[in-house]
């Protein structure tokens, strides 16, 4: 077995709400997660258990309180929990992609460019990048007539597919997926499941949150339970 | 010491320091030449003022093209009539100097005649209209056609010494631009000309770079005269009385007219020969000769034109301008040529 | 990755009378990244911008600029001609009010060309070609090149200012509320333009804004200022999604959701 691409050691995370009189909300404590290449780990647990917090902490979007988040990045190991911002940006550029539930982009940029842009600076010429992006959008059933339109006016499902295309097009070795199929119909769900399976076959390590049990069973190699954290008194 | 340095440019022909620059504030004329006005110091200004101006001139010569402030005095004529030039002339004038004064090239216009008389009466110096005879030439808006020599001084009357003043209203900012040689703005003006008109349209007061360092206004001389400033053997001094600035170009200094590589500097001149002397290489004024729309082009430099005509007379005997192969209204005038205009009437803005 | 920052500030302190404008501020900026400085009016962000760009001298602290050869220069100890040379070629400044840097009585082409000419460009055809190219890049019609800026809309003026700033391919650009005072639709277009150009040219940008959304869209990193101090700094999404300092939490929670 290969060394894991992504591993956490005693990861904990809490929020302190200064506007609420310094109220402290512990969310994660002592999380030890390990994901290998080609493996898809689905986080399981009830709403509010901290699944999204864990996923965002892995990406460096949330800052861990204690513990380590070790990522294999360009042949060396980087601790996301203690890395400086530029290192985290480099990890996101080369190694780890995150597909959020909601698309957040610059207004006015057409859907095609949003997807193609993710490829820029990675080798393909702008034209090649646009071609790849168009192919991927088409396979996700985003018709060509929508490619030139900024996705702000798209339906929820269309926006999510644009978001997925942007996450998948680069072929990052580590993929973090937050509810990838939440607002998709059955056909598109099948497309996404196939894309995830293809990515696994290529050796991508995937951590996902997925409430849809059918999809979960199709993609998950194992489940990682996340329970609401109770600090020892 | 200052006087010595200034005099060097003038060929070192003056007698001695004590002779010209004694400390007496009132100069008692005892010079046999000319009629003198009693009660004035030599060349009107007192010696302290002249020293102050000579110090400014020395600094100006040391930093070619750089505007040096000076304590411009009240003169017995209004600003705009050459007060800056007169103060500079008064400060460099010695008893043995020969003064020529031109206004737009002409020796016989009111301004030129008055200033010449002014110095003849307050300094008793010899005056001339011949460029070659003069040691000091005060000028408004022209450089003589005849090439100036090493022991001559040309003094320009300057209305506005700041070449950037139409482009940048703040004097503080233009000073900073000069200090940092930040002259992109001047080129913006040239760019705008080419963009709008297809060429650089500045026909007078065409900005120059002096010694590759300072942007300088050449005073409102025609752009035609700009090339004469480059590596001129004579010392060039500039006085702006109202604006209280002095600047200078030492002899043999490089003076380059601003331009673009693909739109090079091109002096503008009339395409006709002089209607009086036939010169094609001199700067021309267009003059109206009658009420019927008759006009002709004549040399702006009256001395140059007269010398050329005198030389023709010597070679070929008396001749009328009309005998030359120049078409013009003078052809129809009488034998005495009285229909030809006098130069002083050749008014250009 | 481990190269030196193009701009580094340490311990910047400056007060106006008894009011502290900067208190012990450190800044690092690398080529190719946008650092957003956010905070409310009076928090010291514009003062910081002016100190970083050499226009205002701090009472203590040092700002170091690293030139293309890797030599470090103390911005406030630099001889004025050198600072001016930097400011007109290697650096750029984008003001909130484009009228502050544009010449309103000079054509659009002349405005874009001025920095080229200040740097010594003397070929009219080249200058004009570059001006045309840059007008196109900021989406201003080529046939407006000889028009005066006073005939331009606010958004066009801002884009013209950006063209004028970027024409010399600066390495470091200071932007002070570049989208302030513009309509929302115009603002969106401008944000996209800034983002694209900055990414393509690989310049380093210090962006001052009071608009959290602008900071989120453009900034790689963010520094939150309050009463002259940098109270929180880090990755933009980290700081805005997981704010730790009470003031940052207040700032983030005060943003209106469209």
């Amino acid at each position: 077995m290969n060394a894991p691409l992504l591993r956490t050691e005693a990861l904990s995370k809490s929020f302190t709400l200064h506007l609420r009189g310094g109220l402290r909300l512990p969310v994660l404590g002592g999380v030890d997660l390990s994901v290998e290449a080609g493996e898809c780990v689905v986080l399981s647990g009830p709403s509010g258990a901290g699944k999204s917090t864990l996923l965002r902490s892995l990406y460096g979007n949330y800052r861990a309180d204690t513990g380590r988040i070790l990522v294999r990045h360009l042949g060396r190991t980087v601790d996301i929990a203690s890395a400086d911002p530029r290192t985290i940006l480099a990890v996101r550029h080369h190694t780890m992609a995150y597909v959020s539930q909601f698309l957040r982009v610059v207004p006015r940029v057409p859907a095609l460019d949003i997807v193609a842009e993710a490829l820029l600076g990675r080798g393909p010429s702008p034209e090649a990048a646009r071609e790849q992006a168009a192919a991927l959008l088409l396979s996700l059933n985003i018709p060509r007539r929508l490619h030139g339109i900024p996705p702000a006016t798209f339906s929820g499902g269309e926006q999510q597919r644009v978001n997925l295309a942007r996450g998948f097009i680069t072929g990052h070795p580590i993929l973090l997926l937050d509810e990838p199929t939440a607002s998709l119909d059955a056909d598109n769900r099948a497309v996404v499941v196939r894309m995830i399976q293809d990515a696994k076959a290529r050796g991508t390590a995937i951590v996902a949150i997925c409430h849809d049990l059918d999809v979960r069973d199709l993609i998950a190699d194992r489940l990682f339970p996340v329970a609401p954290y109770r600090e020892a008194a | 010491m200052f006087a010595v340095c200034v005099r060097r440019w003038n060929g070192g022909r003056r007698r001695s320091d004590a002779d010209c620059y004694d400390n007496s504030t009132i100069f008692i004329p005892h010079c046999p030449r000319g009629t003198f006005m009693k009660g004035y110091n030599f060349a009107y200004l007192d010696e302290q003022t002249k020293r102050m101006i000579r110090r400014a001139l020395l600094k100006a010569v040391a930093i070619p093209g750089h505007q040096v402030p000076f304590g411009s005095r009240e003169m017995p004529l209004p600003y705009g009539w050459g007060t800056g030039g007169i103060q500079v002339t008064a400060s460099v004038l010695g008893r043995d100097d020969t003064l020529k004064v031109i206004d737009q090239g002409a020796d016989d216009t009111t301004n030129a005649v008055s200033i010449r008389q002014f110095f003849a009466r307050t300094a008793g110096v010899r005056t001339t209209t011949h460029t070659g005879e003069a040691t000091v030439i005060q000028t408004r808006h022209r450089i003589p056609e005849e090439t100036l020599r090493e022991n001559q001084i040309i003094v320009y009357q300057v209305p506005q010494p700041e070449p950037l003043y139409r482009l940048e209203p703040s004097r503080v900012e233009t000073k900073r631009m000069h200090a940092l040689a930040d002259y992109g703005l001047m080129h913006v003006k040239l760019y705008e000309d080419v963009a709008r008109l297809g060429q650089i349209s500045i026909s007078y007061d065409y900005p120059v770079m002096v010694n590759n360092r300072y942007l300088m206004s050449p005073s409102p001389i025609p752009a035609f005269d700009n090339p004469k400033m480059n590596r001129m053997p004579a010392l060039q001094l500039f006085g702006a009385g109202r604006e209280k600035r002095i600047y200078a170009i030492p002899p043999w200094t490089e003076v380059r007219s601003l331009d673009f590589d693909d739109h090079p500097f091109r002096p503008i001149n009339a395409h006709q020969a002089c209607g009086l002397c036939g010169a094609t290489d001199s700067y021309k004024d267009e003059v109206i000769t009658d009420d019927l729309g008759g006009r002709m082009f004549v040399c702006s430099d009256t001395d140059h034109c007269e010398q050329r005509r005198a030389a023709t007379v010597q070679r070929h005997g008396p001749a009328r301008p009309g005998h030359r192969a120049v078409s013009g209204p003078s052809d129809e005038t009488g034998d005495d040529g009285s229909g030809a205009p006098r130069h002083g009437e050749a008014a250009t803005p | 990755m481990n190269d030196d920052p193009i701009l580094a500030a340490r311990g910047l302190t400056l007060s106006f009378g008894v009011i502290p404008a900067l208190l012990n501020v450190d800044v690092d900026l690398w080529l190719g990244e946008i650092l957003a400085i956010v905070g409310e009016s009076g928090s010291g962000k514009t003062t910081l911008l002016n100190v970083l760009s050499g226009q205002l001298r701090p009472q203590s602290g040092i700002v170091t600029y690293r030139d293309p050869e890797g030599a470090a220069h103390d911005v406030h100890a630099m001889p004025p001609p050198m600072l001016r040379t930097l400011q007109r070629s290697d650096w750029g400044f984008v003001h909130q009010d484009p009228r502050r840097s544009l010449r309103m009585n000079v054509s659009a082409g002349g405005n874009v060309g001025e920095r080229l000419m200040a740097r010594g460009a003397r070929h009219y055809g080249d200058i004009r070609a570059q001006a045309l190219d840059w007008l196109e890049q900021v989406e201003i019609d080529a046939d407006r090149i000889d028009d005066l800026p006073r005939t331009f809309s606010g958004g066009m003026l801002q884009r013209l200012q950006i063209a004028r700033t970027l024409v010399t391919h600066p390495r470091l650009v200071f932007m002070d509320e570049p989208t302030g005072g513009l309509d929302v639709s115009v603002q969106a277009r401008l944000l996209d333009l800034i983002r694209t150009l900055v990414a393509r040219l690989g310049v380093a940008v210090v962006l001052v804004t009071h608009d959290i959304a602008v900071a989120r869209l453009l900034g790689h990193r963010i520094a939150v200022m309050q009463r002259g101090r940098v109270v929180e700094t880090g990755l933009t999404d980290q700081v805005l999604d997981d704010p730790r300092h009470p003031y940052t939490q207040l700032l983030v929670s005060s943003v209106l959701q469209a």
Side-chain angles (χ1 to χ4, degrees), chain B residues 166-168 173 176-177 179-185 187-188 190-192 194-196 256 259-263, chain C residues 80-81 84 88 103 105-107 109-111 113-114 117-118 121-128 131 145-146 148:
Chain B
R166 278 185 200 283
L167 306 168
E168 173 55 62
E173 181 59 21
R176 186 156 43 222
M177 291 161 88
L180 301 173
D182 190 358
Y183 296 136
L185 183 57
H187 268 91
V188 169
L190 304 187
Y191 169 93
E192 294 287 282
V194 180
R196 280 174 215 285
R256 195 166 38 80
D259 60 2
F260 289 111
D261 297 346
D262 48 346
H263 286 268
Chain C
R84 185 81 158 207
R88 71 190 179 200
R103 296 191 185 278
N105 53 356
V106 166
S107 71
N111 264 295
E114 177 174 357
M117 291 183 263
R122 293 292 178 264
H123 191 282
Y124 173 83
D126 287 353
I127 294 164
R128 191 154 175 97
I145 187 170
D146 292 328
L148 293 181

Side-chain angles (χ1 to χ4, degrees), chain B residues 272-278 285-290 292-298 320-334 337 339-341:
Chain B
Q272 293 186 33
C274 172
L276 297 176
C277 73
D285 289 332
E286 186 179 16
V287 289
I288 310 290
T289 52
D290 51 35
L292 307 168
R295 55 190 60 208
M296 69 190 291
F297 285 92
V298 296
R320 293 190 289 124
H323 290 161
R324 276 185 233 113
V326 178
S327 66
S330 57
D331 282 342
E332 283 83 51
T333 58

Side-chain angles (χ1 to χ4, degrees), chain A residues 13 15-19 56 60-64 85-89 92 104 106-109 117, chain C residues 1 3 30 139 188-189 192 195 216-217 220-221 232 235 237-239 241-242 244 246 249-250 253:
Chain A
K13 170 69 189 164
F15 295 98
T16 305
L17 305 182
H18 293 283
L19 303 181
R56 284 166 172 257
N61 182 219
Y62 286 175
R63 287 171 280 193
R86 299 178 70 228
T87 308
I88 296 178
L89 286 178
R92 290 177 182 180
R104 197 184 236 160
V106 181
R108 212 183 70 115
V109 181
E117 222 165 56
Chain C
M1 194 64 227
D3 51 353
W30 282 266
E139 301 168 25
R189 185 178 185 190
D192 179 35
R195 199 181 54 101
R216 185 188 279 280
L217 281 175
H220 296 107
R221 288 191 299 120
E232 190 162 4
L235 277 177
D237 62 290
Q238 237 176 28
V239 171
D241 291 341
D242 183 13
R244 293 185 165 181
Q249 293 189 353
L250 176 68
S253 64

Side-chain angles (χ1 to χ4, degrees), chain B residues 11-67:
Chain B
R13 289 165 296 96
R14 294 210 184 96
R15 274 173 257 166
S16 73
D17 272 12
D19 213 33
C20 289
Y21 307 113
D22 58 44
N23 280 325
S24 62
T25 50
I26 303 292
F27 183 80
I28 310 298
H30 49 78
C31 178
R33 197 193 311 126
T35 49
F36 249 78
M37 284 189 71
K38 289 193 173 33
Y40 284 109
N41 189 34
F42 178 77
Y44 184 77
L45 288 177
D46 64 89
E47 293 305 314
Q48 294 299 337
T49 297
K50 289 197 277 186
R51 269 197 202 102
M52 175 270 291
I53 293 175
R54 285 195 290 265
R55 279 195 290 273
L57 285 171
L58 280 175
K59 182 170 178 183
V61 168
I63 316 171
H66 171 62
Q67 300 167 45

Side-chain angles (χ1 to χ4, degrees), chain A residues 146-159:
Chain A
L146 293 183
H147 290 189
I149 300 175
T153 53
F154 287 12
S155 73
E158 285 164 342
Q159 289 198 12

